[in-house]
Amino acid sequence: DAGVTQSPTHLIKTRGQQVTLRCSPKSGHDTVSWYQQALGQGPQFIFQYYEEEERQRGNFPDRFSGHQFPNYSSELNVNALLLGDSALYLCASSLASGQETQYFGPGTRLLVL
Amino acid sequence: QKEVEQNSGPLSVPEGAIASLNCTYSDRGSQSFFWYRQYSGKSPELIMFIYSNGDKEDGRFTAQLNKASQYVSLLIRDSQPSDSATYLCAVKGTGGYNKLIFGAGTRLAVHP
């Protein structure tokens, strides 16, 4: 049973650039949530996708956008990168029905210079 | 007041002891609670979830929930050095969707 996968594992960008992170959910899951985890902090909710629509969003600026594809995989896009965007970006998958327990992928570590 | 609060630690316990990790939350309407373990440089790994008041046991782990006091805890019995990690408490947000609200985590160090 394939778990949640994310790519790339690491990424280095410079200020002002744009980045796209990718996530494939656990087999059988239909909902993808994205979190940002700064060093020494707990994960912060960015947004959640279900049925290719953003259905909930956290307190993040419009520079953060996403997409979900018909196969339930998802992308997170960040435009106009700031130094403060350096963090571990986590994707979590779950089922919209049932217990809704979220399982995390290995994460993408983004460094903005 | 933060939505989910945890003592940052480090909590240091000797091998074989019981480690007790605590978490409080502010939204009285919260119904679902999760404990994740995160090793340094890795992603969070689900340990347990609990929905009902009382205790829930899974192997060496026991989650305890008291909704009246807005308090959830995790006990780790017979602690091992491999349990050394950061433990994240997460509360499912209210409002119909399942975003998770995390505490900052408690760092646990189990020494031989």
Side-chain angles (χ1 to χ4, degrees):
Chain A
D1 180 20
V4 182
T5 61
Q6 290 186 244
S7 64
T9 55
H10 295 82
L11 207 48
I12 299 175
K13 293 287 188 178
T14 56
R15 280 180 298 174
Q17 286 189 311
Q18 178 264 344
V19 68
T20 297
L21 310 181
R22 296 176 176 83
C23 171
S24 290
K26 185 177 169 68
S27 178
H29 284 183
D30 56 11
T31 301
V32 172
S33 303
W34 286 92
Y35 294 82
Q36 179 196 66
Q37 186 177 24
L39 203 60
Q41 301 298 316
Q44 297 293 312
F45 176 76
I46 303 175
F47 41 53
Q48 183 180 89
Y49 277 85
Y50 170 65
E51 291 189 339
E52 302 178 51
E53 296 287 333
E54 180 186 295
R55 72 172 186 176
Q56 194 177 21
R57 187 178 183 92
N59 189 25
F60 279 80
D62 292 344
R63 298 187 296 108
F64 289 77
S65 63
H67 189 78
Q68 186 179 35
F69 300 94
N71 67 354
Y72 308 119
S73 66
S74 176
E75 288 182 351
L76 164 65
N77 300 291
V78 186
N79 294 322
L81 285 166
L82 303 174
L83 297 180
D85 295 332
S86 296
L88 179 66
Y89 288 85
L90 296 161
C91 166
S93 78
S94 57
L95 270 174
S97 61
Q99 301 292 355
E100 302 176 349
T101 303
Q102 295 189 21
Y103 296 89
F104 285 88
T108 294
R109 190 164 296 280
L110 172 65
L111 178 61
V112 182
L113 301 176
Chain B
Q1 181 189 7
K2 292 183 181 177
E3 293 179 276
V4 179
E5 295 206 53
Q6 296 181 255
N7 194 322
S8 62
L11 174 65
S12 182
V13 300
E15 184 174 356
I18 296 175
S20 177
L21 305 160
N22 305 314
C23 171
T24 59
Y25 59 95
S26 62
D27 188 343
R28 188 169 288 279
S30 299
Q31 297 294 323
S32 306
F33 307 86
F34 304 83
W35 283 100
Y36 288 84
R37 176 175 63 196
Q38 187 172 29
Y39 291 112
S40 181
K42 302 296 185 182
S43 65
E45 171 192 9
L46 180 69
I47 299 175
M48 293 187 68
F49 55 85
I50 185 167
Y51 304 128
S52 303
N53 275 330
D55 295 0
K56 179 182 178 183
E57 187 174 318
D58 184 1
R60 296 187 297 112
F61 299 97
T62 299
Q64 300 175 316
L65 175 60
N66 184 326
K67 290 183 181 178
S69 299
Q70 296 175 240
Y71 175 95
V72 58
S73 64
L74 179 70
L75 301 178
I76 307 174
R77 289 182 301 281
D78 189 24
S79 295
Q80 301 296 310
S82 59
D83 294 325
S84 298
T86 296
Y87 288 80
L88 297 164
C89 171
V91 177
K92 180 183 164 186
T94 55
Y97 300 128
N98 64 340
K99 78 170 188 179
L100 293 178
I101 303 166
F102 283 85
T106 297
R107 190 156 58 91
L108 173 66
V110 181
H111 54 87

